[in-house]
C-alpha cells in the first residue's frame, strides 16, 4: 500500500502537474508497479467519465422572466438608458453654462463707479446706490458712507 | 435622419454580439444571455446545490458581465468568461458561509488522515451500460454527496480545467490541501459510482 505522498504524486502525474524531472521518474517506475498503474488508469478513467458527462441544468424560468430581472438590475445599478444618458449629458454642460451666464449677468448689470471731483480737492466715487466713498488726496483720507 | 439597422441577433456569432453589447446594445446582450444562461445556471447549481441561490447568482453574474463588458478582450470564450464570474460569486458566497475553507472535523480528518484508507481505487468503467442521461444524473448525485470544499476543487479542476496553483489561489487554501481534497473527492466519487454499479447488478 502506498503512502499519501506517493498517491498524491501519482495524481499530480495524471493531472500533468509534476515537474519534467519528476514526471520522468514516475514514468520509469510505473511498469514495475501494478498498484500505481491501476491507480493511474482509474484516475484517468474517472476524469474522462466526469468531464464527458458534465451534469446539465436548465434555468427554471422563462427567457422573458429571467432576462427582465437581469435588465432591471442593470438599469437599477447603472442608469444608462439612452434617454437618461442624453438628459444627463445635457445637464452636465447646462449647469456650468448657467453658472457662467449668471456671473456675466451680475457683472454686466453692476453699476459702473462714478467719480465726482469736489471743490476741496477730493473725489467722490459713487460705488452703488447704497454706498459712497469720499477720498481726499490732500488729507490722505478715504471715507465710506454706507446707506 | 438616423437610419436604424435591425440586426438578426440569433444568427450572429458571440464575438459580434459581444462587440455590439460593448457599444451598449442590450438586445445583443440579451441574446448572449439567452444562449448561455443554462450553462451559467448549471455551474452555479453545481457549486451551490441550491436552485434559488443558483438562479440568483447566475443572474448576478450576468449583471456583472454587463458592467464589466468593456474589460472582456476575448482572451477566452465569452461563455468561459461569464462562467468564471459566476464561479467567483459562488466562491465568495461559500467563503462567507464558511462552506469552503472550514469543514467539519470529520471532513478535515478525511483530508489529512490517510486518504488511501477505506475507499477503493477508482475502478475502470464503473458505469458501463448506463444511459447517458442517467449517467449524468448519477454523477450529479454523486457530486452532491461531496462536501462543498471537495466538490469545489473537482468543479474547478475537472470542469474549469484550472491548475492546482490557480485553485489554491481562488479558494484560499494551500496547494497541498487542493491535492488532498481532490484525491479524496475522486476516491469518494469512484466509490459512489461503484456502488451504483453494484446496485444495478443486484
Amino acid at each position: 500500500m502506498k503512502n499519501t505522498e506517493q498517491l498524491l504524486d501519482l495524481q499530480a502525474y495524471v493531472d500533468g502537474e509534476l515537474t519534467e524531472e519528476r514526471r520522468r521518474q514516475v514514468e520509469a517506475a510505473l511498469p514495475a508497479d501494478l498498484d500505481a498503474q491501476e491507480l493511474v488508469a482509474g484516475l484517468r478513467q474517472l476524469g474522462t467519465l466526469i468531464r464527458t458527462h458534465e451534469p446539465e441544468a436548465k434555468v427554471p424560468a422563462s427567457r422573458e422572466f429571467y432576462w427582465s430581472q437581469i435588465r432591471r438590475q442593470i438599469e437599477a445599478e447603472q442608469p444608462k438608458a439612452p434617454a437618461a444618458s442624453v438628459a444627463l449629458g445635457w445637464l452636465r454642460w447646462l449647469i456650468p453654462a448657467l453658472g457662467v451666464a449668471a456671473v456675466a449677468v451680475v457683472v454686466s448689470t453692476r453699476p459702473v463707479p462714478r467719480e465726482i471731483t469736489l471743490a476741496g480737492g477730493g473725489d467722490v466715487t459713487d460705488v452703488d446706490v447704497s454706498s459712497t466713498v469720499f477720498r481726499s488726496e490732500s488729507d490722505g483720507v478715504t471715507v465710506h458712507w454706507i446707506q | 435622419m438616423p437610419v436604424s439597422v435591425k440586426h438578426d441577433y440569433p444568427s450572429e456569432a458571440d464575438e459580434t454580439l459581444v462587440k455590439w453589447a460593448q457599444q451598449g446594445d442590450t438586445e445583443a446582450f440579451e441574446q448572449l444571455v439567452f444562449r448561455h444562461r443554462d450553462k451559467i445556471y448549471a455551474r452555479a447549481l453545481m457549486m451551490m446545490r441550491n436552485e434559488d441561490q443558483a438562479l440568483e447568482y447566475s443572474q448576478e453574474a450576468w449583471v456583472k458581465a454587463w458592467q464589466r463588458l468593456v474589460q472582456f478582450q476575448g482572451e477566452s470564450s465569452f461563455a468561459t468568461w461569464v462562467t468564471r464570474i459566476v464561479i467567483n460569486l459562488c466562491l465568495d458566497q461559500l467563503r462567507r458561509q464558511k462552506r469552503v475553507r472550514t469543514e467539519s472535523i470529520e471532513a478535515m480528518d478525511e483530508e489529512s488522515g490517510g486518504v488511501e484508507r477505506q475507499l477503493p481505487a477508482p475502478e475502470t468503467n464503473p458505469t458501463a451500460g448506463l444511459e447517458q442521461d442517467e449517467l449524468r444524473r448519477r454523477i450529479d448525485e454523486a457530486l452532491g454527496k461531496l462536501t462543498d470544499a471537495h466538490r469545489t476543487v473537482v468543479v474547478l479542476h475537472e470542469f474549469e480545467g484550472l491548475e492546482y496553483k490557480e485553485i489554491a489561489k481562488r479558494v484560499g487554501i494551500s496547494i497541498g490541501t487542493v491535492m488532498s481534497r481532490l484525491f479524496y473527492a475522486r476516491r469518494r466519487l469512484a466509490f459512489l459510482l461503484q456502488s451504483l454499479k453494484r446496485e444495478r447488478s443486484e
Side-chain angles (χ1 to χ4, degrees):
Chain A
M1 184 169 279
K2 302 197 176 306
N3 64 32
T4 304
E5 198 181 331
Q6 289 170 315
L7 292 171
L8 296 182
D9 217 26
L10 285 168
Q11 175 183 247
Y13 167 70
V14 171
D15 292 334
E17 295 265 1
L18 291 182
T19 60
E20 187 57 28
E21 188 189 353
R22 184 69 195 123
R23 185 186 64 78
R24 276 200 297 267
Q25 288 171 353
V26 170
E27 279 177 351
L30 264 180
D33 189 339
L34 287 178
D35 284 350
Q37 284 177 39
E38 193 187 337
L39 180 66
V40 166
L43 285 170
R44 282 189 175 141
Q45 181 84 34
L46 184 72
T48 305
L49 182 75
I50 294 172
R51 284 191 296 274
T52 53
H53 295 86
E54 183 179 340
E56 295 171 345
K58 288 197 177 301
V59 171
S62 70
R63 171 181 177 167
E64 291 72 24
F65 183 70
Y66 188 71
W67 167 247
S68 70
Q69 290 184 314
I70 294 168
R71 194 180 53 198
R72 200 175 306 135
Q73 278 190 63
I74 287 173
E75 286 170 358
E77 291 182 31
Q78 193 181 0
K80 264 193 176 173
S85 32
V86 167
L88 283 175
W90 275 107
L91 277 179
R92 203 164 40 236
W93 291 104
L94 196 61
I95 290 169
L98 282 174
V100 169
V103 169
V105 166
V106 167
V107 167
S108 63
T109 57
R110 194 176 165 202
V112 178
R114 286 183 289 124
E115 285 195 353
I116 303 165
T117 304
L118 299 178
D123 291 329
V124 172
T125 305
D126 191 4
V127 174
D128 57 36
V129 287
S130 59
S131 71
T132 306
V133 179
F134 169 71
R135 188 167 63 248
S136 172
E137 298 293 339
S138 55
D139 298 322
V141 246
T142 304
V143 180
H144 294 259
W145 278 277
I146 299 172
Q147 297 171 333
Chain B
M1 187 175 160
V3 179
S4 144
V5 179
K6 186 69 189 160
H7 297 300
D8 181 19
Y9 294 105
S11 63
E12 294 294 344
D14 277 9
E15 292 76 13
T16 309
L17 293 171
V18 168
K19 202 170 71 185
W20 290 342
Q22 283 173 330
Q23 291 162 0
D25 186 341
T26 49
E27 275 188 73
F29 190 68
E30 182 186 357
Q31 182 61 39
L32 288 164
V33 172
F34 175 63
R35 211 172 270 182
H36 301 293
R37 65 188 180 139
D38 286 338
K39 180 181 167 55
I40 303 306
Y41 169 75
R43 181 62 81 246
L45 184 61
M46 196 185 283
M47 300 275 291
M48 305 307 294
R49 311 302 296 182
N50 177 298
E51 285 190 3
D52 291 338
Q53 288 183 331
L55 195 62
E56 183 188 338
Y57 300 139
S58 69
Q59 287 177 313
E60 200 178 325
W62 286 113
V63 174
K64 287 200 182 305
W66 169 261
Q67 291 167 339
R68 300 173 187 171
L69 208 50
V70 284
Q71 296 169 20
F72 177 68
Q73 301 296 320
E75 292 91 353
S76 63
S77 75
F78 178 72
T80 301
W81 184 67
V82 185
T83 304
R84 294 284 156 86
I85 293 177
V86 82
I87 283 177
N88 286 341
L89 283 171
C90 292
L91 279 175
D92 284 347
Q93 192 56 31
L94 291 170
R95 242 181 254 120
R96 219 168 285 140
Q97 296 172 2
K98 301 188 190 308
R99 284 164 62 180
V100 181
R101 296 182 71 171
T102 313
E103 291 294 319
S104 66
I105 293 170
E106 187 186 352
M108 294 301 285
D109 182 54
E110 282 166 357
E111 279 177 12
S112 58
V115 286
E116 75 280 11
R117 72 177 181 215
Q118 296 174 350
L119 301 176
E123 186 185 312
T124 304
N125 207 10
T127 52
L130 280 178
E131 292 295 328
Q132 298 297 299
D133 286 348
E134 171 70 0
L135 188 49
R136 245 180 251 281
R137 197 179 66 74
R138 300 306 286 257
I139 288 173
D140 185 45
E141 217 171 271
L143 284 167
K145 287 182 177 164
L146 299 180
T147 65
D148 292 312
H150 288 112
R151 190 175 51 259
T152 296
V153 291
V154 172
V155 170
L156 295 181
H157 189 272
E158 299 292 1
F159 301 130
E160 292 303 314
L162 297 185
E163 294 179 350
Y164 294 168
K165 194 168 72 177
E166 187 63 25
I167 297 171
K169 195 173 134 193
R170 281 170 183 257
V171 181
I173 52 178
S174 69
I175 290 178
T177 305
V178 170
M179 291 170 78
S180 60
R181 282 186 186 179
L182 193 55
F183 193 86
Y184 175 81
R186 283 166 161 168
R187 284 219 144 174
R188 178 103 178 113
L189 284 173
F191 173 78
L192 291 166
L193 294 171
Q194 201 170 41
S195 62
L196 167 66
K197 187 188 177 190
R198 275 200 301 273
E199 183 189 306
R200 283 176 60 84
S201 61
E202 280 169 7

